[in-house]
Amino acid sequence: MKTALQVVALTDEQGHVIAPELLASCSQLHHQLRPMLPVDGAAYAAKMQRVCSYGARMVAAVDTEGRPLGLALFRVYENTYEDLRLYIDDLVSDEAHRSRGIGSLLLDWCATEARRLGCGYQVLDSGTWRTEAHRLYFRQGFSISSFHFTKPLK
């Protein structure tokens, strides 16, 4: 049974938080994907405000009671090989509500936003172990186009 969902902006196009209470209520949800994030709503909101001050934006998929069941953290930027792109840093749907269309809803919303902003690409990285998420990405038309390399500096 699908729940009626609505995508709600948590930040404006400049990354300023416009829904602070809803943002704070996303901490547990976001923690499911990123366990290193603060769980406390105020500490989480402060962290996300800092992240968004560097150009990130956030939206949440909320049910009819206003509970966040999914979220997307993304940014729009230009590079030398894809020009303008919408890059999704984080995409998470609540563990208790997976396989109910939340991820697809958020990816579709991001694609629409990308087109509105003149982006030619929608891009994300995904951990190699996240095979369930990969199935969603392939269904949504994503392909594996490169490797992502990381080097810790500490």
Side-chain angles (χ1 to χ4, degrees):
M1 176 174 159
K2 288 193 176 186
T3 304
L5 297 172
Q6 176 182 358
V7 177
V8 176
L10 302 175
T11 61
D12 63 17
E13 289 193 17
Q14 291 72 43
H16 300 115
V17 175
I18 58 173
E21 296 83 17
L22 182 55
L23 175 64
S25 74
C26 288
S27 64
Q28 295 285 341
L29 171 64
H30 207 166
H31 197 259
Q32 292 175 24
L33 177 67
R34 304 286 186 216
M36 71 290 292
L37 287 173
V39 178
D40 172 71
Y44 169 78
K47 167 74 172 176
M48 298 320 298
Q49 179 58 72
R50 287 191 306 275
V51 170
C52 292
S53 73
Y54 291 105
R57 294 173 49 200
M58 288 184 75
V59 294
V62 299
D63 65 11
T64 55
E65 296 175 17
R67 291 179 302 206
L69 300 182
L71 67 81
L73 173 72
F74 64 94
R75 56 192 80 233
V76 174
Y77 66 94
E78 187 170 4
N79 64 21
T80 58
Y81 56 94
E82 289 176 335
D83 295 325
L84 200 58
R85 67 195 325 227
L86 185 141
Y87 178 82
I88 300 171
D89 293 58
D90 294 342
L91 179 76
V92 60
S93 45
D94 190 294
E95 292 169 346
H97 298 277
R98 297 232 168 108
S99 298
R100 296 185 185 178
I102 298 166
S104 292
L105 173 71
L106 288 165
L107 287 170
D108 290 345
W109 186 95
C110 286
T112 299
E113 182 70 355
R115 287 184 194 98
R116 183 184 76 79
L117 296 170
C119 298
Y121 293 88
Q122 179 180 15
V123 183
L124 56 82
D125 290 328
S126 183
T128 56
W129 63 93
R130 298 187 42 105
T131 55
E132 291 297 316
H134 300 165
R135 282 194 263 285
L136 168 64
Y137 304 146
F138 287 132
R139 279 196 315 269
Q140 286 280 321
F142 286 84
S143 63
I144 299 172
S145 61
S146 64
F147 290 104
H148 178 96
F149 294 91
T150 301
K151 177 183 174 182
L153 299 176
K154 291 183 181 184

